[in-house]
């Protein structure tokens, strides 16, 4: 369950192995550490945001109708995916994670209610539910991030970023239509099997092997994209570039 939240995380993680340079567009991140740090910031801010509204919603302090919340969650996925193509908060995806994470927290609160957890122990239920969400997020990152990191310097990554972002935006837009107009477009019948466990593990394992093989082929042909020798930070261009 929670496929929409999974796709939101994927939309945010896709550009985490890249750096946006003014006038040049997306370029490969200099190293594993810099990309991982961006993912940590994104997930931390998402966690802080959804924990706030999950707690407020779970304790009954803030209650919003389910329909607009679910619509806004779908809209957040579409906007986050399209942001990958035309960045506004370049290299600051954590801002999107926090802002949209507030709506996702309300969605988690609704899910918590649907599961019928014991209302006499709300705090324990909220804590356990939140820990479960964080474990799920960590598993997604552990599966996806290494594959993206390996592919980031290959010629296929930018087309992959574009196609994946457009695909996520299309799915999220269909969800938005379903939730706003109460129409069943059967989007979940297509998406849910792709993220079910343990099928998703084997999919990412195969993807990792193929990514490593493709990187090796590109490296042998000296076609990997060059790395910036000095990373000037979130908004500054690299001072020196290494040769391919």
């Amino acid at each position: 369950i929670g496929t929409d939240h999974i796709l939101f995380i994927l939309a945010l993680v896709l550009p985490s192995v890249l750096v946006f340079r003014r006038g040049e567009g997306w370029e490969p991140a200099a190293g594993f550490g810099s990309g991982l740090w961006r993912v940590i910031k994104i997930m931390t801010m998402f966690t802080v945001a959804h924990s706030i509204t999950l707690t407020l919603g779970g304790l009954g302090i803030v209650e919003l109708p389910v329909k607009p919340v679910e619509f806004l969650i779908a809209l957040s996925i579409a906007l986050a995916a399209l942001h990958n193509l035309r960045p506004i908060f370049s290299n600051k995806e954590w801002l999107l994670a926090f802002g949209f994470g507030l709506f996702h927290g309300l969605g988690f609160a609704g899910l918590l209610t649907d599961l019928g957890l014991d209302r006499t122990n709300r705090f324990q239920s909220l804590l356990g539910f939140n820990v479960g969400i964080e474990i799920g997020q960590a598993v997604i990152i552990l599966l996806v991030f290494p594959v993206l990191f390996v592919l980031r310097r290959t010629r296929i990554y930018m087309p992959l970023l574009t196609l994946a972002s457009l695909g996520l935006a299309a799915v999220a837009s269909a969800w938005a239509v379903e939730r706003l107009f109460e129409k069943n477009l059967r989007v979940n019948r297509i998406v849910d099997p792709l993220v079910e466990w343990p099928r998703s593990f084997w999919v990412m394992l195969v993807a990792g092997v193929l990514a490593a093989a493709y990187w090796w082929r590109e490296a042998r042909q000296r076609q990997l994209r060059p790395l910036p020798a000095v990373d000037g930070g979130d908004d500054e261009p690299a001072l020196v570039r290494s040769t391919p």
Side-chain angles (χ1 to χ4, degrees):
I1 58 178
T3 305
D4 47 0
H5 304 289
I6 294 174
L7 295 195
F8 179 69
I9 293 173
L10 293 178
L12 293 174
V13 171
L14 278 171
S16 65
V17 293
L18 305 173
V19 176
F20 191 82
R21 310 288 184 185
R22 290 195 182 114
E24 300 180 25
W26 291 111
E27 296 182 349
F32 187 86
S34 60
L36 184 60
W37 173 237
R38 285 182 65 184
V39 169
I40 291 174
K41 286 193 292 184
I42 290 169
M43 290 301 101
T44 299
M45 297 310 292
F46 183 56
T47 296
V48 170
H50 75 61
S51 295
I52 293 172
T53 46
L54 170 60
T55 301
L56 294 176
L59 295 178
I61 299 174
V62 175
E63 294 183 358
L64 294 178
V66 174
K67 186 176 178 179
V69 170
E70 293 298 321
F71 170 75
L72 288 172
I73 289 173
L75 185 63
S76 73
I77 301 169
L79 293 176
L82 294 176
H83 183 268
N84 295 339
L85 306 180
R86 291 294 181 92
I88 298 175
F89 303 102
S90 56
N91 306 315
K92 292 183 174 66
E93 292 81 11
W94 58 269
L95 289 172
L96 296 176
F98 183 84
F100 291 138
L102 296 172
F103 298 110
H104 284 253
L106 293 173
F108 288 138
L111 181 59
L112 186 65
T113 301
D114 292 340
L115 290 175
L117 298 183
D118 189 359
R119 287 183 172 271
T120 62
N121 297 296
R122 285 187 175 185
F123 181 77
Q124 294 92 325
S125 298
L126 284 169
L127 180 61
F129 190 72
N130 211 33
V131 169
I133 292 171
E134 303 319 309
I135 293 173
Q137 290 178 181
V139 170
I140 294 170
I141 299 303
L142 289 173
L143 289 174
V144 175
F145 181 76
V147 177
L148 301 183
F149 183 80
V150 170
L151 286 175
R152 81 194 193 288
R153 294 183 62 194
T154 64
R155 291 174 296 171
I156 199 176
Y157 195 76
M158 290 311 300
L160 176 64
L161 175 69
T162 300
L163 290 175
S165 297
L166 290 175
L168 290 171
V171 169
S173 298
W175 271 332
V177 171
E178 283 187 336
R179 295 169 184 183
L180 186 61
F181 299 104
E182 298 182 355
K183 300 289 185 180
N184 185 7
L185 302 180
R186 300 184 179 181
V187 178
N188 283 44
R189 291 184 60 182
I190 301 173
V191 178
D192 285 349
L194 298 177
V195 298
E196 285 180 355
W197 187 269
R199 182 184 292 113
S200 55
F201 169 78
W202 296 110
V203 169
M204 294 310 303
L205 181 63
V206 172
V209 172
L210 293 176
Y214 188 76
W215 180 93
W216 182 76
R217 176 179 176 275
E218 294 268 288
R220 288 196 61 185
Q221 296 179 358
R222 298 181 180 273
Q223 293 179 331
L224 294 176
R225 298 182 66 189
L227 291 174
V230 179
D231 192 342
D234 284 348
D235 298 308
E236 296 297 326
L239 301 178
V240 181
R241 298 183 186 283
S242 60
T243 56

